[in-house]
Amino acid sequence: MSFACDTDLARPLPSPNHGERRDGRKIDCLILHYTGMATAEAALSRLSDPNADVSCHYVVLEDGGIIQMVNEDRRAWHAGAGVWKGESDLNSASIGIEIVNYGHDGNLPAYPQQQINSVIALCRDILTRHAIAPQRVLAHSDIAPARKRDPGEHFPWAQLHQAGIGHYVAPSPISGGRFLARGEQGQPVAALQAMLALYGYGIEVNGSYDLATEQVIAAFQRHFRQERVDGVADASTITTLRDLIAALPVSQSD
Ligand SMILES: [Zn+2]
């Protein structure tokens, strides 16, 4: 069976791990990952192992090479259990890109610029072919804050935004002042949870700054306020979240 890439940017390395997008779900989301493994070879092998039940549409190598493993019209298995905007089958809604990087287990090695250039080129290419709103270009950690930390707090979201990819505002500077943290209860916590849920995070609005809230705040920081990822909702974190919501497109239909 022949496999044709959806873009001239990629070379093919087909994985058997894919299925139908459920209920004919259209693609409207792009999810970025790091591989979290020591080598690209190990990651490619796992992503095409029929016993591993994982795959993705694209892999971007450290030297900037791009590999396509699953066609875009197929449902790849990269998102796993997760939630965004109340939707849980994100594999059916998304295209998944794995970026070769050892990640937290390898002490967060920097992403080489040539690799980021290829991520940008690939994302731009995908965005020309699918109606994906900027605020639906997400980190794996955004949709699964309790399980995942990729692509990590060193991933250059600001640079992608400058290239026209994703939703982003300049993070509010870190300063002193009032903050919310684990164990707090009450209306301010509920208001914070409601803002996170409004933006898209899967979080219960229960007025209790519990472990799940801490994990969602850490995921938010990994994407939008990378200078300090500690799960504490300091003034900078809350202001950045507020600014981000204010910067959403007016006719937000998702
Ligand atoms: Zn991932």
Side-chain angles (χ1 to χ4, degrees):
M1 202 172 79
S2 72
F3 177 95
C5 292
D6 291 291
T7 168
D8 293 340
L9 299 174
R11 60 183 192 269
L13 186 69
S15 167
N17 301 340
H18 55 84
E20 296 279 329
R21 291 186 181 273
R22 290 177 190 151
D23 302 321
R25 183 70 169 83
K26 291 271 187 293
I27 296 161
D28 71 354
C29 185
L30 182 56
I31 299 176
L32 305 190
H33 305 255
Y34 65 49
T35 51
M37 298 183 77
T39 66
E41 291 68 30
L44 290 168
S45 161
R46 180 167 150 76
L47 290 163
S48 46
D49 177 354
N51 298 313
D53 281 352
V54 292
S55 63
C56 61
H57 295 91
Y58 296 100
V59 175
V60 180
L61 305 175
E62 285 161 304
D63 69 2
I66 301 172
I67 290 168
Q68 182 161 17
M69 305 191 80
V70 174
N71 277 126
E72 289 178 2
D73 63 350
R74 302 290 289 170
R75 180 179 181 275
W77 306 337
H78 56 96
V83 176
W84 193 255
K85 285 268 170 188
E87 184 174 16
S88 58
D89 179 15
L90 291 157
N91 279 333
S92 282
S94 67
I95 289 175
I97 301 175
E98 288 278 0
I99 304 160
V100 172
N101 184 280
Y102 204 163
H104 290 83
D105 288 350
N107 292 315
L108 292 171
Y111 289 95
Q113 188 57 47
Q114 59 197 357
Q115 186 181 33
I116 293 303
N117 292 344
S118 287
V119 170
I120 287 172
L122 176 60
C123 288
R124 292 174 83 146
D125 188 88
I126 290 167
L127 295 173
T128 64
R129 276 179 281 111
H130 301 280
I132 298 172
Q135 67 273 21
R136 291 185 65 86
V137 179
L138 300 170
H140 197 191
S141 48
D142 289 321
I143 65 160
R147 294 191 305 119
K148 295 294 177 180
R149 293 181 288 177
D150 60 311
E153 53 269 37
H154 288 189
F155 187 75
W157 291 103
Q159 202 185 133
L160 264 70
H161 182 250
Q162 281 160 15
I165 301 152
H167 189 225
Y168 191 81
V169 295
S172 173
I174 292 178
S175 59
R178 172 125 174 78
F179 61 87
L180 296 168
R182 188 82 178 275
E184 297 205 38
Q185 310 272 341
Q187 199 281 328
V189 176
L192 172 66
Q193 291 168 330
M195 282 202 293
L196 290 162
L198 174 67
Y199 194 70
Y201 288 93
I203 185 169
E204 196 186 335
V205 180
N206 60 12
S208 171
Y209 205 113
D210 48 15
L211 172 63
T213 301
E214 186 174 85
Q215 289 166 332
V216 170
I217 285 290
F220 176 83
Q221 292 169 334
R222 280 200 166 89
H223 189 156
F224 298 107
R225 210 291 305 273
Q226 297 177 319
E227 189 180 340
R228 188 190 295 162
V229 177
D230 58 5
V232 173
D234 56 16
S236 152
T237 301
I238 295 171
T239 302
T240 304
L241 173 58
R242 206 169 270 149
D243 291 350
L244 204 60
I245 290 169
L248 282 169
V250 177
S251 63
Q252 196 202 353
S253 59
D254 60 331

